[in-house]
């Protein structure tokens, strides 16, 4: 058995070596941010959400659109849909143009307090959204006793007009998100049937 050509030539072998990791976070292309932002706009869910959030007390804070784009980017880059990953992407992985589109401050070289303040803005924006849309708002990061869980499950199935309206709105939002992705797939010829 002979050695591969690259092993015989030290110059070629150097190019085959893995590159060392750097401390700099990877940067997401502006085109991907724009693509996912356009997906949200084309779905038509942003006006539905903004209508629901109108007149709510408290400061407007970070736009919900920014948090949703962050969550979509977190999903796209394989981390999962959680707010911690969305915050990291928004804070560390965007180029200046994408930051300006989404209204994200430049946190390079920022102290811990500035980063913490921005992470709280991300969490508060998502909290505003879930408070407005959830038929029975509760703490979902802990295990619920059976009686509390039963009350929450009942609120998703009862006939209260406000609960029915919120469930219908959530269904409309999810349908539109799915529909826009199916339409894009048809446009690109990914579906033949």
């Amino acid at each position: 058995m002979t050695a591969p050509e690259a092993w015989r030539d030290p110059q070629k072998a150097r190019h085959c070596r893995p590159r060392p990791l750097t401390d700099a976070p990877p940067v997401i292309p502006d085109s991907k941010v724009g693509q996912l932002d356009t997906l949200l706009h084309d779905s038509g869910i942003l006006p539905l959400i903004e209508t629901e959030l109108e007149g709510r007390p408290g400061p407007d804070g970070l736009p919900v659109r920014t948090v949703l784009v962050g969550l979509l980017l977190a999903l796209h880059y394989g981390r999962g849909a959680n707010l911690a990953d969305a915050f990291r992407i928004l804070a560390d992985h965007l180029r200046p143009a994408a930051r300006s589109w989404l209204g994200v401050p430049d946190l390079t070289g920022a102290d811990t307090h500035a980063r913490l303040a921005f992470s709280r803005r991300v969490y508060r924006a998502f909290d505003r959204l879930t408070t407005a849309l959830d038929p029975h708002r509760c703490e979902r990061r802990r295990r619920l006793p059976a009686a509390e869980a039963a009350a929450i499950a009942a609120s998703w199935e009862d006939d209260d007009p406000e609960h029915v309206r919120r469930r219908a709105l959530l269904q409309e939002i999810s349908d539109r998100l799915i529909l826009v992705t199916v339409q894009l797939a048809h446009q690109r010829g990914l579906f033949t049937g």
Side-chain angles (χ1 to χ4, degrees), residues 25-56:
V27 179
I28 294 174
D30 292 340
S31 60
K32 182 51 68 180
V33 177
Q35 178 187 16
L36 294 175
D37 190 28
T38 302
L39 179 95
L40 281 178
H41 282 285
D42 289 348
S43 71
I45 67 166
L46 294 175
L48 292 174
I49 291 171
E50 291 303 322
T51 302
E52 193 66 25
L53 294 177
E54 273 180 12
R56 294 193 61 83

mmCIF file of all heavy atoms in Angstrom, residues 25-56:
data_model
loop_
_atom_site.group_PDB
_atom_site.id
_atom_site.type_symbol
_atom_site.label_atom_id
_atom_site.label_comp_id
_atom_site.label_asym_id
_atom_site.label_seq_id
_atom_site.Cartn_x
_atom_site.Cartn_y
_atom_site.Cartn_z
ATOM 1 N N PRO A 25 -16.545 34.382 17.575
ATOM 2 C CA PRO A 25 -17.724 33.582 17.224
ATOM 3 C C PRO A 25 -17.961 33.611 15.721
ATOM 4 O O PRO A 25 -17.590 34.570 15.046
ATOM 5 C CB PRO A 25 -18.860 34.292 17.973
ATOM 6 C CG PRO A 25 -18.377 35.672 18.197
ATOM 7 C CD PRO A 25 -16.881 35.603 18.289
ATOM 8 N N PRO A 26 -18.547 32.556 15.177
ATOM 9 C CA PRO A 26 -18.848 32.560 13.743
ATOM 10 C C PRO A 26 -19.859 33.657 13.425
ATOM 11 O O PRO A 26 -20.700 34.002 14.252
ATOM 12 C CB PRO A 26 -19.434 31.172 13.497
ATOM 13 C CG PRO A 26 -19.873 30.687 14.823
ATOM 14 C CD PRO A 26 -19.008 31.351 15.844
ATOM 15 N N VAL A 27 -19.780 34.193 12.232
ATOM 16 C CA VAL A 27 -20.659 35.292 11.828
ATOM 17 C C VAL A 27 -21.690 34.758 10.835
ATOM 18 O O VAL A 27 -21.348 34.081 9.873
ATOM 19 C CB VAL A 27 -19.837 36.438 11.207
ATOM 20 C CG1 VAL A 27 -20.746 37.561 10.754
ATOM 21 C CG2 VAL A 27 -18.814 36.954 12.208
ATOM 22 N N ILE A 28 -22.946 35.078 11.088
ATOM 23 C CA ILE A 28 -24.041 34.639 10.222
ATOM 24 C C ILE A 28 -24.160 35.611 9.051
ATOM 25 O O ILE A 28 -24.157 36.826 9.255
ATOM 26 C CB ILE A 28 -25.354 34.573 11.021
ATOM 27 C CG1 ILE A 28 -25.233 33.475 12.075
ATOM 28 C CG2 ILE A 28 -26.542 34.323 10.103
ATOM 29 C CD1 ILE A 28 -26.394 33.390 13.012
ATOM 30 N N PRO A 29 -24.254 35.112 7.845
ATOM 31 C CA PRO A 29 -24.368 36.010 6.684
ATOM 32 C C PRO A 29 -25.649 36.837 6.739
ATOM 33 O O PRO A 29 -26.695 36.364 7.172
ATOM 34 C CB PRO A 29 -24.392 35.057 5.490
ATOM 35 C CG PRO A 29 -24.069 33.710 6.004
ATOM 36 C CD PRO A 29 -24.229 33.709 7.475
ATOM 37 N N ASP A 30 -25.546 38.068 6.265
ATOM 38 C CA ASP A 30 -26.712 38.949 6.215
ATOM 39 C C ASP A 30 -27.822 38.356 5.352
ATOM 40 O O ASP A 30 -29.004 38.558 5.622
ATOM 41 C CB ASP A 30 -26.327 40.324 5.661
ATOM 42 C CG ASP A 30 -25.426 41.090 6.602
ATOM 43 O OD1 ASP A 30 -25.397 40.751 7.806
ATOM 44 O OD2 ASP A 30 -24.759 42.041 6.143
ATOM 45 N N SER A 31 -27.436 37.602 4.333
ATOM 46 C CA SER A 31 -28.435 37.018 3.435
ATOM 47 C C SER A 31 -29.345 36.044 4.176
ATOM 48 O O SER A 31 -30.554 35.990 3.912
ATOM 49 C CB SER A 31 -27.757 36.311 2.262
ATOM 50 O OG SER A 31 -26.915 35.278 2.726
ATOM 51 N N LYS A 32 -28.791 35.267 5.108
ATOM 52 C CA LYS A 32 -29.608 34.315 5.874
ATOM 53 C C LYS A 32 -30.546 35.058 6.819
ATOM 54 O O LYS A 32 -31.719 34.700 6.967
ATOM 55 C CB LYS A 32 -28.711 33.350 6.653
ATOM 56 C CG LYS A 32 -29.466 32.296 7.434
ATOM 57 C CD LYS A 32 -30.484 31.527 6.642
ATOM 58 C CE LYS A 32 -29.893 30.634 5.612
ATOM 59 N NZ LYS A 32 -30.913 29.882 4.854
ATOM 60 N N VAL A 33 -30.050 36.127 7.453
ATOM 61 C CA VAL A 33 -30.899 36.930 8.339
ATOM 62 C C VAL A 33 -32.032 37.545 7.521
ATOM 63 O O VAL A 33 -33.202 37.505 7.921
ATOM 64 C CB VAL A 33 -30.076 38.025 9.053
ATOM 65 C CG1 VAL A 33 -30.969 38.904 9.904
ATOM 66 C CG2 VAL A 33 -28.982 37.393 9.898
ATOM 67 N N GLY A 34 -31.695 38.090 6.360
ATOM 68 C CA GLY A 34 -32.708 38.690 5.499
ATOM 69 C C GLY A 34 -33.718 37.672 5.002
ATOM 70 O O GLY A 34 -34.916 37.958 4.902
ATOM 71 N N GLN A 35 -33.251 36.470 4.694
ATOM 72 C CA GLN A 35 -34.143 35.420 4.209
ATOM 73 C C GLN A 35 -35.172 35.052 5.273
ATOM 74 O O GLN A 35 -36.370 34.947 4.980
ATOM 75 C CB GLN A 35 -33.322 34.190 3.822
ATOM 76 C CG GLN A 35 -34.135 33.028 3.344
ATOM 77 C CD GLN A 35 -33.284 31.779 3.133
ATOM 78 O OE1 GLN A 35 -32.158 31.697 3.604
ATOM 79 N NE2 GLN A 35 -33.845 30.810 2.440
ATOM 80 N N LEU A 36 -34.736 34.875 6.514
ATOM 81 C CA LEU A 36 -35.660 34.494 7.574
ATOM 82 C C LEU A 36 -36.564 35.653 7.983
ATOM 83 O O LEU A 36 -37.726 35.447 8.334
ATOM 84 C CB LEU A 36 -34.880 33.939 8.773
ATOM 85 C CG LEU A 36 -34.155 32.622 8.475
ATOM 86 C CD1 LEU A 36 -33.309 32.190 9.655
ATOM 87 C CD2 LEU A 36 -35.135 31.536 8.094
ATOM 88 N N ASP A 37 -36.041 36.878 7.914
ATOM 89 C CA ASP A 37 -36.868 38.051 8.184
ATOM 90 C C ASP A 37 -37.952 38.186 7.116
ATOM 91 O O ASP A 37 -39.118 38.456 7.416
ATOM 92 C CB ASP A 37 -35.991 39.305 8.236
ATOM 93 C CG ASP A 37 -36.739 40.515 8.749
ATOM 94 O OD1 ASP A 37 -37.687 40.351 9.539
ATOM 95 O OD2 ASP A 37 -36.360 41.639 8.373
ATOM 96 N N THR A 38 -37.595 37.956 5.871
ATOM 97 C CA THR A 38 -38.569 37.999 4.776
ATOM 98 C C THR A 38 -39.609 36.898 4.941
ATOM 99 O O THR A 38 -40.796 37.117 4.681
ATOM 100 C CB THR A 38 -37.849 37.853 3.419
ATOM 101 O OG1 THR A 38 -36.893 38.906 3.302
ATOM 102 C CG2 THR A 38 -38.815 37.907 2.259
ATOM 103 N N LEU A 39 -39.183 35.731 5.397
ATOM 104 C CA LEU A 39 -40.115 34.631 5.644
ATOM 105 C C LEU A 39 -41.178 35.061 6.654
ATOM 106 O O LEU A 39 -42.370 34.819 6.458
ATOM 107 C CB LEU A 39 -39.351 33.404 6.143
ATOM 108 C CG LEU A 39 -40.212 32.196 6.468
ATOM 109 C CD1 LEU A 39 -40.264 31.273 5.268
ATOM 110 C CD2 LEU A 39 -39.658 31.473 7.664
ATOM 111 N N LEU A 40 -40.747 35.718 7.735
ATOM 112 C CA LEU A 40 -41.709 36.198 8.732
ATOM 113 C C LEU A 40 -42.658 37.228 8.137
ATOM 114 O O LEU A 40 -43.867 37.187 8.370
ATOM 115 C CB LEU A 40 -40.981 36.813 9.930
ATOM 116 C CG LEU A 40 -40.412 35.854 10.957
ATOM 117 C CD1 LEU A 40 -39.682 36.614 12.040
ATOM 118 C CD2 LEU A 40 -41.502 34.999 11.562
ATOM 119 N N HIS A 41 -42.117 38.167 7.359
ATOM 120 C CA HIS A 41 -42.960 39.190 6.753
ATOM 121 C C HIS A 41 -43.933 38.579 5.745
ATOM 122 O O HIS A 41 -45.109 38.954 5.714
ATOM 123 C CB HIS A 41 -42.108 40.262 6.070
ATOM 124 C CG HIS A 41 -41.510 41.229 7.039
ATOM 125 N ND1 HIS A 41 -42.242 42.222 7.642
ATOM 126 C CD2 HIS A 41 -40.255 41.338 7.531
ATOM 127 C CE1 HIS A 41 -41.465 42.912 8.455
ATOM 128 N NE2 HIS A 41 -40.256 42.390 8.407
ATOM 129 N N ASP A 42 -43.461 37.651 4.926
ATOM 130 C CA ASP A 42 -44.312 37.027 3.915
ATOM 131 C C ASP A 42 -45.416 36.168 4.537
ATOM 132 O O ASP A 42 -46.472 35.986 3.929
ATOM 133 C CB ASP A 42 -43.489 36.172 2.953
ATOM 134 C CG ASP A 42 -42.618 37.006 2.031
ATOM 135 O OD1 ASP A 42 -42.811 38.250 1.983
ATOM 136 O OD2 ASP A 42 -41.738 36.423 1.363
ATOM 137 N N SER A 43 -45.163 35.641 5.718
ATOM 138 C CA SER A 43 -46.173 34.802 6.369
ATOM 139 C C SER A 43 -47.378 35.620 6.826
ATOM 140 O O SER A 43 -48.471 35.090 6.961
ATOM 141 C CB SER A 43 -45.569 34.064 7.555
ATOM 142 O OG SER A 43 -45.294 34.976 8.610
ATOM 143 N N GLY A 44 -47.167 36.895 7.098
ATOM 144 C CA GLY A 44 -48.269 37.741 7.550
ATOM 145 C C GLY A 44 -48.567 37.637 9.033
ATOM 146 O O GLY A 44 -49.587 38.145 9.495
ATOM 147 N N ILE A 45 -47.688 36.996 9.793
ATOM 148 C CA ILE A 45 -47.961 36.855 11.225
ATOM 149 C C ILE A 45 -47.603 38.109 12.017
ATOM 150 O O ILE A 45 -48.175 38.347 13.071
ATOM 151 C CB ILE A 45 -47.242 35.640 11.842
ATOM 152 C CG1 ILE A 45 -45.728 35.829 11.846
ATOM 153 C CG2 ILE A 45 -47.655 34.363 11.154
ATOM 154 C CD1 ILE A 45 -45.001 34.853 12.732
ATOM 155 N N LEU A 46 -46.674 38.908 11.517
ATOM 156 C CA LEU A 46 -46.244 40.085 12.281
ATOM 157 C C LEU A 46 -47.381 41.084 12.504
ATOM 158 O O LEU A 46 -47.533 41.584 13.627
ATOM 159 C CB LEU A 46 -45.028 40.731 11.627
ATOM 160 C CG LEU A 46 -43.764 39.869 11.653
ATOM 161 C CD1 LEU A 46 -42.637 40.542 10.884
ATOM 162 C CD2 LEU A 46 -43.339 39.566 13.070
ATOM 163 N N PRO A 47 -48.212 41.392 11.484
ATOM 164 C CA PRO A 47 -49.351 42.274 11.768
ATOM 165 C C PRO A 47 -50.336 41.679 12.779
ATOM 166 O O PRO A 47 -50.895 42.396 13.604
ATOM 167 C CB PRO A 47 -50.017 42.476 10.409
ATOM 168 C CG PRO A 47 -48.966 42.174 9.411
ATOM 169 C CD PRO A 47 -48.076 41.153 10.050
ATOM 170 N N LEU A 48 -50.535 40.364 12.720
ATOM 171 C CA LEU A 48 -51.422 39.717 13.692
ATOM 172 C C LEU A 48 -50.883 39.889 15.110
ATOM 173 O O LEU A 48 -51.638 40.187 16.042
ATOM 174 C CB LEU A 48 -51.554 38.219 13.385
ATOM 175 C CG LEU A 48 -52.288 37.802 12.123
ATOM 176 C CD1 LEU A 48 -52.177 36.301 11.925
ATOM 177 C CD2 LEU A 48 -53.735 38.221 12.204
ATOM 178 N N ILE A 49 -49.586 39.689 15.256
ATOM 179 C CA ILE A 49 -48.970 39.806 16.578
ATOM 180 C C ILE A 49 -48.984 41.253 17.057
ATOM 181 O O ILE A 49 -49.314 41.531 18.217
ATOM 182 C CB ILE A 49 -47.536 39.231 16.546
ATOM 183 C CG1 ILE A 49 -47.582 37.713 16.355
ATOM 184 C CG2 ILE A 49 -46.773 39.593 17.812
ATOM 185 C CD1 ILE A 49 -46.247 37.076 16.085
ATOM 186 N N GLU A 50 -48.646 42.186 16.172
ATOM 187 C CA GLU A 50 -48.625 43.600 16.559
ATOM 188 C C GLU A 50 -50.015 44.077 16.970
ATOM 189 O O GLU A 50 -50.155 44.854 17.910
ATOM 190 C CB GLU A 50 -48.072 44.465 15.422
ATOM 191 C CG GLU A 50 -46.590 44.242 15.161
ATOM 192 C CD GLU A 50 -45.717 44.483 16.381
ATOM 193 O OE1 GLU A 50 -45.987 45.421 17.154
ATOM 194 O OE2 GLU A 50 -44.762 43.712 16.565
ATOM 195 N N THR A 51 -51.046 43.612 16.269
ATOM 196 C CA THR A 51 -52.417 43.964 16.630
ATOM 197 C C THR A 51 -52.738 43.450 18.028
ATOM 198 O O THR A 51 -53.371 44.136 18.827
ATOM 199 C CB THR A 51 -53.411 43.381 15.609
ATOM 200 O OG1 THR A 51 -53.080 43.873 14.319
ATOM 201 C CG2 THR A 51 -54.836 43.742 15.948
ATOM 202 N N GLU A 52 -52.285 42.257 18.324
ATOM 203 C CA GLU A 52 -52.538 41.661 19.640
ATOM 204 C C GLU A 52 -51.787 42.400 20.746
ATOM 205 O O GLU A 52 -52.277 42.503 21.870
ATOM 206 C CB GLU A 52 -52.143 40.184 19.609
ATOM 207 C CG GLU A 52 -52.620 39.384 20.767
ATOM 208 C CD GLU A 52 -54.137 39.250 20.826
ATOM 209 O OE1 GLU A 52 -54.817 39.342 19.801
ATOM 210 O OE2 GLU A 52 -54.646 39.033 21.940
ATOM 211 N N LEU A 53 -50.608 42.916 20.440
ATOM 212 C CA LEU A 53 -49.792 43.588 21.454
ATOM 213 C C LEU A 53 -50.140 45.067 21.627
ATOM 214 O O LEU A 53 -49.670 45.687 22.576
ATOM 215 C CB LEU A 53 -48.310 43.452 21.102
ATOM 216 C CG LEU A 53 -47.728 42.047 21.155
ATOM 217 C CD1 LEU A 53 -46.273 42.054 20.721
ATOM 218 C CD2 LEU A 53 -47.863 41.451 22.546
ATOM 219 N N GLU A 54 -50.941 45.623 20.714
ATOM 220 C CA GLU A 54 -51.303 47.048 20.817
ATOM 221 C C GLU A 54 -52.024 47.325 22.125
ATOM 222 O O GLU A 54 -52.885 46.564 22.549
ATOM 223 C CB GLU A 54 -52.228 47.441 19.661
ATOM 224 C CG GLU A 54 -51.522 47.858 18.426
ATOM 225 C CD GLU A 54 -52.497 48.237 17.319
ATOM 226 O OE1 GLU A 54 -53.701 48.397 17.575
ATOM 227 O OE2 GLU A 54 -52.027 48.341 16.180
ATOM 228 N N GLY A 55 -51.656 48.441 22.721
ATOM 229 C CA GLY A 55 -52.342 48.873 23.929
ATOM 230 C C GLY A 55 -51.966 48.136 25.190
ATOM 231 O O GLY A 55 -52.545 48.382 26.249
ATOM 232 N N ARG A 56 -51.016 47.234 25.111
ATOM 233 C CA ARG A 56 -50.595 46.527 26.329
ATOM 234 C C ARG A 56 -49.765 47.474 27.178
ATOM 235 O O ARG A 56 -49.016 48.292 26.667
ATOM 236 C CB ARG A 56 -49.799 45.278 25.975
ATOM 237 C CG ARG A 56 -50.659 44.241 25.260
ATOM 238 C CD ARG A 56 -49.988 42.909 25.191
ATOM 239 N NE ARG A 56 -49.699 42.339 26.476
ATOM 240 C CZ ARG A 56 -50.564 41.654 27.228
ATOM 241 N NH1 ARG A 56 -51.791 41.493 26.818
ATOM 242 N NH2 ARG A 56 -50.215 41.146 28.380
#
